[in-house]
Amino acid sequence: MANQIEHFPPEIAALPDFEGAFDAYRLTADGCEVLFATYPAGTSIVTHTHSTNNVGVITKGALLLTIGGQTTRHGVGEWYHVPAGVEHAARFDTDSAEIEFWFNT
């Protein structure tokens, strides 16, 4: 991955690449996908929705998550939740990483 920040152990880095708008390694499980994602400082993800119920935990840096016009900051060790179908946007002001679970609904 071109912009992948080295953060995860080699076993995670050996997983298949996620094909999407950000750099991540992808692990599939029954009923969900698990993404090990990294974001260089300054990354912004525009407003969008998912058909999946998403929860994640920040492992480096911080996530600024905007839902319904409200922006919350999630730092290392903090979990967040984005329900299926809810419009949201994300921003990472520093080099950041997370583990995100996309549960099928």
Side-chain angles (χ1 to χ4, degrees), residues 46-63:
V46 298
T47 301
H48 63 286
T49 63
H50 299 274
S51 61
T52 53
N53 187 33
N54 296 5
V55 295
V57 62
I58 304 303
T59 60
K60 178 180 182 176
L63 161 66

Side-chain angles (χ1 to χ4, degrees), residues 5-75:
I5 298 166
E6 292 188 28
H7 173 70
F8 296 108
E11 294 82 359
I12 300 300
L15 293 170
D17 290 344
F18 168 69
E19 301 289 330
F22 53 88
D23 289 331
Y25 302 110
R26 182 174 164 259
L27 176 67
T28 57
D30 286 340
C32 80
E33 286 187 84
V34 182
L35 301 177
F36 300 87
T38 60
Y39 307 90
T43 298
S44 289
I45 300 173
V46 298
T47 301
H48 63 286
T49 63
H50 299 274
S51 61
T52 53
N53 187 33
N54 296 5
V55 295
V57 62
I58 304 303
T59 60
K60 178 180 182 176
L63 161 66
L64 296 169
L65 179 64
T66 302
I67 298 176
Q70 295 268 57
T71 300
T72 55
R73 183 186 183 283
H74 303 273

